[in-house]
Amino acid sequence: MQKNDESIYTLQFGLVCLSSFLFSASFNMLIPELPAYLTAMGGAEYKGLIIALFTLTAGISRPFSGMLTDKIGRIPVMAVGSVVCFLCGFMYPILTTVAGFLFLRLLHGFSTGFKPTATAAYIADLVPHHRMGEAMGAHGVFFTTGLAIGPAIGSTITAYFSIDVLFYCSSFFALMSIVILANMKETLANKQKFKFGLLKIKAKDIIEWQVIPACVIIFMSYISYGAILTVVADWSNHLGTSNKGLFFVVFTLTSLLIRFVAGKVSDQYGRLLIMKISLGLLAIAMFWIGFSNSSLSLLCASALYGVATGMLSPTATAWTIDLSHPEHRGKAMATMYIALEAGIGIGALLAGWFFISDFSMIPIIFYCCAAVTIMALVYLQFIYKKAIVKE
């Protein structure tokens, strides 16, 4: 598809953004309610697996989604992700044992293993390279809005109706995402028909080594997000926040305010500068969350966390595209998302292990997240810079 140098805001760009909004709201509206749901089933000790299992299958599916994105097209791969979300929403009320729930978390993870990978490649096909940061920032506004609205909607539906109704609403949002995809134009020029032979993965198909520097930053920075997804709902409730989804609303709103601007600034002044600033802010936010002793303090910390992630996410994604080869764009995005899911999964798993019902452990969890974020900043400032000099 020919790129339009005049404007990135075309109909196709708008459709992919709207589809991403519905998709992200679909799976994220469940997050605040799942820990209590699992506890009610007698699986409190498995809280860390709620996110860890989800990210495990997301990570496993990335090499397949990346290769298929480069072979059969962007839209079919995006559709697979939305279909999985649609089906899982109907299955949660049916599989009501701890084992059944954990199995569904594994299955549900395939959704984010497919759709975001193909979406990023689709956007990269649509927009000119010199406006990639701006495009990723604009798309991130929609995706992040879904992340913000999802938890708030989820907590409200559960409070006024039931968690089963919440699961069905999740499926409905995914269905709407599929409907939008059906009206989009494919951007891959020489696509192939799907055949099972395409699912044979070789070692060279798993990792795009050119984007490893970006993956290191993404992996280390998203460990904190895994911890937040696992314990911040309990931490919010402990500090007196009545709506467990409010933390997500606040940090997502501030992320929205900065995301579009950060993408444009990274196009003008470079990816590395913006990432260094965002990593510094992220480390401060992690310390602040752990240090919070009131609901107000926690929400202020969540606002700073939103600014940090709103700067980092579109910039790191654009940097990944900068480092990748156009013919391997799907594989490059898959590699980036493997790093992202690995960071979220490890952060969630460790946070779940450290915290079951001992609230004194939560500050330590976030202090550790801050330390890892500082390590990412050190890598970007000194180790990556040194590697460039040697080249």
Side-chain angles (χ1 to χ4, degrees):
M1 178 173 288
Q2 186 177 2
K3 297 182 180 182
N4 186 346
D5 290 329
E6 297 300 323
S7 175
I8 65 174
Y9 303 109
T10 62
L11 174 61
Q12 295 304 305
F13 183 77
L15 289 175
V16 74
C17 288
L18 183 56
S19 177
S20 291
F21 162 75
L22 292 166
F23 172 76
S24 63
S26 171
F27 71 83
N28 213 51
M29 66 171 59
L30 305 179
I31 296 300
E33 302 304 322
L34 292 183
Y37 181 68
L38 181 59
T39 299
M41 287 191 292
E45 66 270 29
Y46 301 112
K47 284 182 180 180
L49 295 179
I50 292 174
I51 303 300
L53 292 177
F54 187 91
T55 57
L56 174 63
T57 46
I60 291 173
S61 65
R62 295 293 182 191
F64 298 94
S65 66
M67 183 180 63
L68 291 174
T69 295
D70 290 333
K71 299 290 186 181
I72 69 172
R74 321 311 195 189
I75 293 176
V77 177
M78 284 191 277
V80 170
S82 294
V83 168
V84 170
C85 269
F86 172 73
L87 295 175
C88 285
F90 281 101
M91 294 176 67
Y92 279 110
I94 298 173
L95 300 180
T96 56
T97 64
V98 172
F101 174 84
L102 296 178
F103 166 74
L104 279 178
R105 292 308 291 168
L106 271 171
L107 182 62
H108 209 159
F110 281 104
S111 63
T112 56
F114 277 79
K115 193 172 191 306
T117 301
T119 297
Y122 188 86
I123 293 172
D125 293 341
L126 286 178
V127 305
H129 181 77
H130 68 276
R131 300 186 69 180
M132 196 64 64
E134 180 183 355
M136 290 302 171
H139 170 263
V141 168
F142 284 83
F143 190 87
T144 308
T145 300
L147 295 180
I149 292 176
I153 292 175
S155 294
T156 302
I157 291 173
T158 304
Y160 285 94
F161 298 98
S162 70
I163 196 164
D164 285 352
V165 174
L166 170 61
F167 292 138
Y168 297 141
C169 287
S170 174
S171 283
F172 176 75
F173 273 64
L175 178 61
M176 292 299 99
S177 176
I178 297 169
V179 170
I180 291 171
L181 291 174
N183 292 281
M184 289 167 53
K185 297 179 181 178
E186 179 58 59
T187 58
L188 184 64
N190 300 313
K191 62 180 181 178
Q192 304 176 20
K193 290 184 177 181
F194 173 79
K195 54 185 178 180
F196 286 100
L198 293 175
L199 297 178
K200 294 181 180 179
I201 295 292
K202 300 178 182 179
K204 65 179 183 179
D205 297 322
I206 299 176
I207 301 296
E208 178 65 18
W209 294 102
Q210 289 180 303
V211 302
I212 289 299
C215 292
V216 170
I217 300 302
I218 289 167
F219 167 75
M220 299 180 78
S221 62
Y222 272 87
I223 286 176
S224 61
Y225 189 55
I228 283 174
L229 290 174
T230 303
V231 303
V232 84
D234 290 303
W235 190 229
S236 297
N237 188 56
H238 177 71
L239 295 179
T241 304
S242 57
N243 189 324
K244 290 180 287 187
L246 190 57
F247 179 95
F248 295 95
V249 173
V250 171
F251 96 71
T252 309
L253 288 177
T254 56
S255 174
L256 289 174
L257 293 174
I258 196 68
R259 188 174 289 266
F260 180 73
V261 175
K264 292 185 68 173
V265 171
S266 75
D267 287 334
Q268 293 179 313
Y269 298 100
R271 318 296 188 202
L272 299 184
L273 174 63
I274 301 303
M275 286 191 291
K276 289 174 186 178
I277 295 172
S278 61
L279 287 170
L281 294 176
L282 181 59
I284 295 172
M286 288 299 100
F287 275 117
W288 195 348
I289 292 172
F291 189 74
S292 295
N293 57 8
S294 68
S295 177
L296 178 60
S297 178
L298 180 64
L299 293 179
C300 289
S302 72
L304 180 61
Y305 177 72
V307 171
T309 56
M311 295 173 63
L312 181 63
S313 179
T315 306
T317 303
W319 191 34
T320 303
I321 294 172
D322 292 344
L323 296 173
S324 67
H325 191 282
E327 293 183 2
H328 301 145
R329 191 162 279 156
K331 183 168 69 170
M333 300 316 301
T335 303
M336 184 199 79
Y337 279 113
I338 288 172
L340 184 150
E341 302 291 358
I344 294 175
I346 289 174
L349 191 61
L350 293 178
W353 279 347
F354 277 107
F355 170 73
I356 296 178
S357 295
D358 184 4
F359 287 95
S360 66
M361 293 301 299
I362 291 183
I364 297 174
I365 292 170
F366 287 111
Y367 297 153
C368 290
C369 290
V372 173
T373 304
I374 292 172
M375 290 171 60
L377 181 58
V378 169
Y379 168 83
L380 196 61
Q381 177 65 34
F382 299 105
I383 301 176
Y384 176 69
K385 183 177 179 179
K386 185 177 180 180
I388 293 177
V389 172
K390 285 185 177 180
E391 291 179 359

